Amino acid sequence: MYSLSDCPPLMSFTLNTSNQSEVISSHNPPLSFTVSNMASRAPAQAGKFLVGIRKWYYGMCGFNKMGLMRDDTIYEDSDVKEALKRLPEHMYNDRMFRMKRAMDLSMKMQILPKDQWTKYEEEVNYLTPYLEEVIRERKEREEWMKK
């Protein structure tokens, strides 16, 4: 019978603290790396990791299971209502279809079949550019009124 203490460490590295050195061992698969090598790969790996987190969070929000997009869930204040007026007709009609379908599904306490869910890769911020423009114009108007 073997125990972990019988197994030789597969990875070890040295930490220099004050005047003493400690060897830290792990029973992970063998890895050979240097600090500079790790630093050069960190941004790419962090980017992939963050995309994975974003995809997971997108799936957990639940609006995609009703066929909605993120911009469909923005609270409709005066700025959003103005941005909606500026949307091209086909985009506005698509939004209304998604909203009505989501309300219908919600009343029936159902969700769409998985092949009809909105996917993270298909997400389009269709309202955000119009909303940013409306907010910029409102702030500009407020600045003008101060003068």
Side-chain angles (χ1 to χ4, degrees):
M1 177 165 283
Y2 292 101
S3 69
L4 287 178
S5 60
D6 296 337
C7 299
L10 298 175
M11 178 179 76
S12 65
F13 55 94
T14 305
L15 284 179
N16 292 326
T17 56
S18 307
N19 295 328
Q20 58 185 359
S21 288
E22 298 178 34
V23 175
I24 299 177
S25 300
S26 173
H27 293 279
N28 293 330
L31 293 174
S32 64
F33 57 88
T34 62
V35 175
S36 62
N37 189 12
M38 280 180 27
S40 66
R41 289 188 313 208
Q45 290 175 345
K48 290 179 185 178
F49 178 72
L50 289 176
V51 169
I53 295 285
R54 287 183 186 129
K55 286 183 180 181
W56 173 81
Y57 181 74
Y58 187 85
M60 294 303 293
C61 286
F63 60 82
N64 65 323
K65 296 174 184 173
M66 300 252 188
L68 295 173
M69 293 186 176
R70 187 180 317 262
D71 283 356
D72 295 334
T73 62
I74 297 175
Y75 177 75
E76 289 189 24
D77 59 1
S78 59
D79 290 340
V80 174
K81 288 179 182 176
E82 179 61 32
L84 287 171
K85 289 178 187 175
R86 296 180 183 191
L87 276 177
E89 186 176 355
H90 73 279
M91 292 176 116
Y92 183 78
N93 290 339
D94 290 347
R95 174 188 165 91
M96 288 291 94
F97 172 77
R98 289 190 302 270
M99 299 290 274
K100 288 180 181 181
R101 179 177 58 180
M103 285 190 283
D104 183 51
L105 289 167
S106 178
M107 291 187 62
K108 293 177 182 176
M109 295 185 187
Q110 296 177 350
I111 60 172
L112 289 172
K114 193 162 186 162
D115 62 330
Q116 294 180 18
W117 291 4
T118 308
K119 294 166 188 60
Y120 177 80
E121 293 81 15
E122 297 171 355
E123 178 70 28
V124 177
N125 294 331
Y126 66 92
L127 187 61
T128 304
Y130 297 97
L131 183 58
E132 289 172 351
E133 181 181 341
V134 167
I135 292 171
R136 184 183 48 77
E137 288 174 3
R138 178 179 46 83
K139 288 181 179 178
E140 186 178 314
R141 200 175 318 115
E142 288 171 355
E143 287 296 319
W144 180 260
M145 298 303 281
K146 285 182 183 177
K147 292 181 180 180

